[in-house]
Amino acid sequence: MDAAERLFSQKGYEATRIETIAEKASVAPATVYNYFATKPNLLMELALRHVHAALPERRSFIRNLPEDPVEGILAFERLLAEQAMRHLSRECWRVIMSAQYLEPDGRASRTGARLNTLIKRHYIRLIRTYQQRGRLDPSVDPIALSDLIVGVTTFDFGNFVARSSGTVEEMLAQGARNIRFILSQILREPAADPV
């Protein structure tokens, strides 16, 4: 995995062949295929490794949330974006995000679903923390709100990695508008029942 990560970073994901990874790792190509079966599976394992390494930073953030829920969610999105781009390129993220479409029942697709579920769990914990602090209405369904936020921010991240230009800051600005809108609808006073 270390050899693959270095080669993906240096040569790009598409330009890197399994045989080159095997050579760099001093193993036979059959060994790489035995463990991962496909290059996308290898990439997904790299993504999982980085997510597991990022968990302490995410947990620490959730334990020390900003007081304002909007600012907390925006700061968490910034953390997720920084972590995502720290070790894997846009090209790698394109492959990761497309796995569910290219191989719906495959290992890479299942791994992508695990990554998504993990982020949703973080958001559920974050939302429940704000509810316990009295900063979000307890009647708000944390699971539904998490699904909505993750859906919108995954869409924004997908648009970001699909392009060859644009910055993380631009992506986060777009996401901030969307998150502020979602939360403004939740945090506002309920409208009076129509007569």
Side-chain angles (χ1 to χ4, degrees):
M1 286 176 46
D2 291 340
E5 182 176 357
R6 280 192 305 275
L7 288 166
F8 291 163
S9 177
Q10 294 166 358
K11 295 182 174 205
Y13 174 81
E14 289 298 330
T16 300
R17 297 175 53 237
I18 290 287
E19 293 75 16
T20 310
I21 294 168
E23 182 180 317
K24 192 73 141 176
S26 301
V27 298
T31 302
V32 178
Y33 285 112
N34 186 46
Y35 281 98
F36 302 104
T38 67
K39 192 164 69 166
N41 288 347
L42 174 56
L43 177 59
M44 295 306 268
E45 289 301 317
L46 277 174
L48 275 177
R49 181 167 84 169
H50 292 305
V51 166
H52 287 292
L55 287 177
E57 189 178 9
R58 292 180 189 182
R59 289 180 183 132
S60 174
F61 178 88
I62 291 172
R63 281 193 304 272
N64 301 293
L65 288 172
E67 193 61 31
D68 177 43
V70 174
E71 294 311 312
I73 290 170
L74 295 177
F76 189 60
E77 272 306 304
R78 175 175 297 283
L79 175 64
L80 292 175
E82 289 170 355
Q83 288 179 334
M85 299 310 295
R86 195 176 292 161
H87 299 284
L88 297 174
S89 68
R90 283 181 177 194
E91 180 188 25
C92 288
W93 282 108
R94 283 183 205 121
V95 174
I96 292 167
M97 294 185 80
S98 66
Q100 65 182 332
Y101 305 109
L102 297 176
E103 193 183 344
D105 297 320
R107 181 175 168 189
S109 181
R110 290 189 303 275
T111 302
R114 284 174 52 202
L115 293 171
N116 215 26
T117 299
L118 184 59
I119 291 173
K120 286 180 185 180
R121 285 185 185 151
H122 290 309
Y123 266 114
I124 291 167
R125 191 171 307 129
L126 185 149
I127 290 163
R128 286 185 175 148
T129 299
Y130 280 121
Q131 287 175 318
Q132 291 164 355
R133 291 181 180 178
R135 301 292 297 167
L136 280 176
D137 189 319
S139 68
V140 171
D141 180 347
I143 296 169
L145 181 54
S146 296
D147 285 344
L148 184 59
I149 291 170
V150 171
V152 167
T153 56
T154 299
F155 176 79
D156 291 338
F157 187 69
N159 284 336
F160 168 71
V161 299
R163 296 187 317 264
S164 58
S165 64
T167 66
V168 169
E169 289 304 318
E170 291 167 344
M171 176 196 62
L172 291 170
Q174 176 65 41
R177 285 190 293 276
N178 295 334
I179 289 169
R180 282 193 173 94
F181 175 77
I182 292 166
L183 292 179
S184 73
Q185 301 304 301
I186 292 168
L187 297 173
R188 72 179 180 184
E189 294 294 317
D193 289 332
V195 178

